Amino acid sequence: MIPEIRGTLKGHSIKMKTRYLKFPFLILLLSGIFLLPYLQLSYSIQTRGIISPAREWVLSRAGDGQMSYALNDYFHGSISHYAITEFQRGDHGEFRLKEGLFSRGYVYSGDTIGVILSNEEQRRYIQLLGELESRESLLNVYLTGQRPQDVTIAHERVLLAGKELQAQERILERSRKLYAEQVIPAQEYELVENQYEVRQMALQIARSEHQSLLAGAKPEQLELVRAEIRAIQAQINQLSNRLEAFTVRSPITGNIIFEPRQDIPGQTFIRIAEDSPYIVVFPVEVHQLAYVQPGQKVLLIPENRSQIAEATIVSLGNSVQLINRRQNVFVTATLDQNHAHILPGMLIQAKILTGRIGLVEYTSRITKAIYAN
């Protein structure tokens, strides 16, 4: 009898405990259901991007021996400046990079990168200076008047200039033969040619001065000479600007990008990445684009690296690009700070932090992503 009573009491005790346990569990379940709409979850978008400098200046060799300068603006996806230096036909052009440039690895805006040497442009510059001197001398003669002894002296200058030209002509003929036989280099032959042209100009100046002393000057002649002087000065200024442009300078401050030799050696002379926070450009599928906006943070995760960098979205593209037959829009973000282990051209994992959202919205986005895939 006693064991039966003990069993009955034990069973009744278990039932009472179960009943008391169900009550708090039920309250907890109801509380969870009530708080479910207020539950916030983090939602992020996974993608891959490419690191680039905001701007990059490239000096390279274009076709037909031309040199091109391009300032690429990767932030806006455009070329903000492009120029070409073209040599005259038959000109002996040469480009020399500044010594020690690559050992520094860093340049400032306005630093000299290299110099272009052009024999034809230098020859033309010397010729124009000679013509200007001739016209200015002629104008001075017209303005100051002349005396008989001045006419005699001018005639003697014509004779002397003629003899010097004949002597230089003989030197030029010998140099031409030696150059044809490859005995002397092209630079030495061009120097002799330039000296011959200087002698020609000297004879022309002497004759002009002599003729002006013989004939005298009229007002119309004075104005004509002044007009010729203005025209020559304009040509000299234009040529001076061109020669100044032959000194190649960096338009930006930044690091020199070292890269392996290309298939065509010397195709690119130098690349300079601007010293500013790098940018990362990555695609976002169209069905995810509504969740992305400027100002959101992006975590950049390099391969085999534990250090994570942060970036901030600054712009969204306004055109759709097909990647693996899927519609994507490119998004641009700026690194909050450059890191030594993140380099231009690097392919990197990107995690867009879109913020915390409710469970219903989270479920909806996950469902749409599954359906889109």
Side-chain angles (χ1 to χ4, degrees), residues 11-26:
H12 180 71
S13 176
I14 294 174
K15 289 180 180 180
M16 289 297 292
K17 289 181 179 179
T18 304
R19 185 180 301 174
Y20 288 134
L21 288 174
K22 286 182 179 180
F23 183 71
F25 178 76
L26 182 61

Side-chain angles (χ1 to χ4, degrees), residues 216-228:
K218 298 179 180 179
E220 295 81 2
Q221 290 176 313
L222 293 175
E223 184 57 33
L224 175 61
V225 175
R226 290 192 180 101
E228 291 175 343

Side-chain angles (χ1 to χ4, degrees), residues 143-182:
L143 293 174
T144 56
Q146 57 276 347
R147 297 174 298 173
Q149 56 267 35
D150 294 334
V151 176
T152 303
I153 294 174
H155 180 65
E156 292 176 354
R157 288 177 178 171
V158 171
L159 296 177
L160 178 61
K163 292 179 180 179
E164 291 177 345
L165 178 62
Q166 291 176 357
Q168 187 64 34
E169 186 175 7
R170 289 192 295 270
I171 295 174
L172 178 61
E173 288 297 327
R174 289 197 300 270
S175 298
R176 184 178 289 116
K177 294 178 181 179
L178 294 175
Y179 176 67
E181 297 172 358
Q182 297 183 350

Side-chain angles (χ1 to χ4, degrees), residues 300-309 340-343 346 348:
L300 304 177
I301 309 170
E303 295 183 4
N304 301 325
R305 299 274 186 176
S306 59
Q307 188 175 0
I308 297 176
H341 63 278
I342 295 182
L343 304 174
M346 178 182 290
I348 197 168

Side-chain angles (χ1 to χ4, degrees), residues 218-278:
K218 298 179 180 179
E220 295 81 2
Q221 290 176 313
L222 293 175
E223 184 57 33
L224 175 61
V225 175
R226 290 192 180 101
E228 291 175 343
I229 290 175
R230 290 193 296 269
I232 295 173
Q233 287 175 335
Q235 294 181 56
I236 290 176
N237 292 336
Q238 183 181 15
L239 188 56
S240 297
N241 293 333
R242 180 172 172 82
L243 291 175
E244 175 64 21
F246 280 2
T247 300
V248 182
R249 294 182 172 87
S250 173
I252 59 176
T253 298
N255 298 290
I256 298 175
I257 297 179
F258 297 94
E259 56 186 358
R261 289 284 184 180
Q262 301 179 355
D263 294 338
I264 305 177
Q267 186 73 12
T268 298
F269 292 108
I270 192 172
R271 292 173 57 198
I272 300 175
E274 187 177 42
D275 187 11
S276 63
Y278 291 153

Side-chain angles (χ1 to χ4, degrees), residues 6-148:
R6 289 180 178 176
T8 301
L9 291 175
K10 187 177 181 180
H12 180 71
S13 176
I14 294 174
K15 289 180 180 180
M16 289 297 292
K17 289 181 179 179
T18 304
R19 185 180 301 174
Y20 288 134
L21 288 174
K22 286 182 179 180
F23 183 71
F25 178 76
L26 182 61
I27 294 177
L28 183 62
L29 180 61
L30 292 175
S31 299
I33 295 174
F34 176 76
L35 296 175
L36 198 58
Y38 302 98
L39 183 63
Q40 298 288 309
L41 299 174
S42 297
Y43 184 79
S44 60
I45 300 173
Q46 303 287 342
T47 182
R48 292 167 68 88
I50 296 179
I51 302 293
S52 301
R55 294 193 303 170
E56 182 187 50
W57 185 69
V58 181
L59 172 63
S60 58
R61 184 184 67 186
D64 298 330
Q66 299 174 340
M67 292 185 62
S68 66
Y69 318 81
L71 183 57
N72 300 315
D73 187 345
Y74 296 121
F75 186 87
H76 297 98
S78 64
I79 298 178
S80 57
H81 179 74
Y82 184 80
I84 291 179
T85 297
E86 183 177 5
F87 297 97
Q88 300 291 335
R89 183 177 296 274
D91 185 17
H92 176 74
E94 183 180 351
F95 176 71
R96 295 178 182 176
L97 280 170
K98 182 179 178 180
E99 292 185 6
L101 186 64
F102 288 94
S103 61
R104 290 170 51 191
Y106 191 89
V107 297
Y108 293 93
S109 177
D111 281 359
T112 298
I113 301 300
V115 178
I116 300 174
L117 304 177
S118 171
N119 292 336
E120 179 62 25
E121 299 294 342
Q122 291 290 344
R123 185 197 66 79
R124 177 59 179 161
Y125 185 72
I126 294 174
Q127 181 181 356
L128 287 174
L129 290 177
E131 292 178 7
L132 178 62
E133 183 180 357
S134 171
R135 295 308 174 196
E136 288 178 341
S137 299
L138 181 60
L139 179 62
N140 185 55
V141 170
Y142 284 167
L143 293 174
T144 56
Q146 57 276 347
R147 297 174 298 173

Side-chain angles (χ1 to χ4, degrees), residues 179-220:
Y179 176 67
E181 297 172 358
Q182 297 183 350
V183 176
I184 61 174
Q187 290 83 355
E188 183 176 342
Y189 175 69
E190 291 171 357
L191 180 61
V192 174
E193 276 189 324
N194 290 337
Q195 292 174 348
Y196 177 74
E197 292 177 358
V198 170
R199 298 299 181 189
Q200 283 184 318
M201 288 187 289
L203 178 60
Q204 181 182 356
I205 293 172
R207 286 174 176 172
S208 298
E209 292 178 350
H210 183 246
Q211 291 297 325
S212 64
L213 290 173
L214 291 175
K218 298 179 180 179
E220 295 81 2

